[in-house]
Amino acid sequence: MNMMNGLNNLLDNAEGMAAQAATTMREIGEMGNKLAYLQQMVSVVRKGGDPTQLMSAFIKQNPQAQQMMNVLQGKTPEGLKEYAENMAKSYGTDVNTVLKQLGMQG
């Protein structure tokens, strides 16, 4: 009986670790997809193109991006600037630094 309980505990632990690993791998894959979209958008903007199609595809696949777009909708240019400044500040940086890192000017 004790050996069977020990085996069951071992299998439960292995199953839990496998589930955690699978979840982490999915999250890493999703993060990679988000970064790939961002990289493509920056590349298009740097070349003077319009990243609208890429942004639309990204927003459709990302609930957080959809939520952010809802917040931004209808804001004035000043309101958008303030939002960007506050967001950058929340990450411990500023808009000009972010633009420089993306190879753009503020």
Side-chain angles (χ1 to χ4, degrees):
M1 245 336 177
N2 284 338
M3 184 176 220
M4 192 59 150
N5 286 340
L7 182 59
N8 282 334
N9 286 339
L10 179 65
L11 291 173
D12 287 344
N13 288 339
E15 182 180 31
M17 289 183 342
Q20 282 181 317
T23 299
T24 301
M25 294 303 286
R26 275 192 297 277
E27 289 171 357
I28 289 170
E30 290 171 12
M31 188 183 316
N33 290 338
K34 291 174 187 176
L35 291 172
Y37 271 113
L38 178 60
Q39 181 182 21
Q40 289 174 336
M41 282 186 252
V42 169
S43 177
V44 168
V45 170
R46 278 186 174 164
K47 294 175 184 173
D50 181 5
T52 305
Q53 286 181 325
L54 284 171
M55 288 174 26
S56 294
F58 177 74
I59 290 167
K60 285 179 185 175
Q61 295 179 10
N62 187 326
Q64 291 172 321
Q66 288 174 359
Q67 191 175 34
M68 184 177 78
M69 289 306 296
N70 290 337
V71 168
L72 296 177
Q73 223 164 15
K75 287 202 182 283
T76 64
E78 295 80 21
L80 292 172
K81 182 179 178 185
E82 182 180 342
Y83 183 86
E85 289 169 347
N86 289 336
M87 181 178 273
K89 189 186 296 184
S90 76
Y91 284 97
T93 189
D94 61 78
V95 172
N96 289 327
T97 301
V98 173
L99 291 173
K100 285 177 188 173
Q101 289 173 343
L102 295 173
M104 302 166 71
Q105 293 181 341

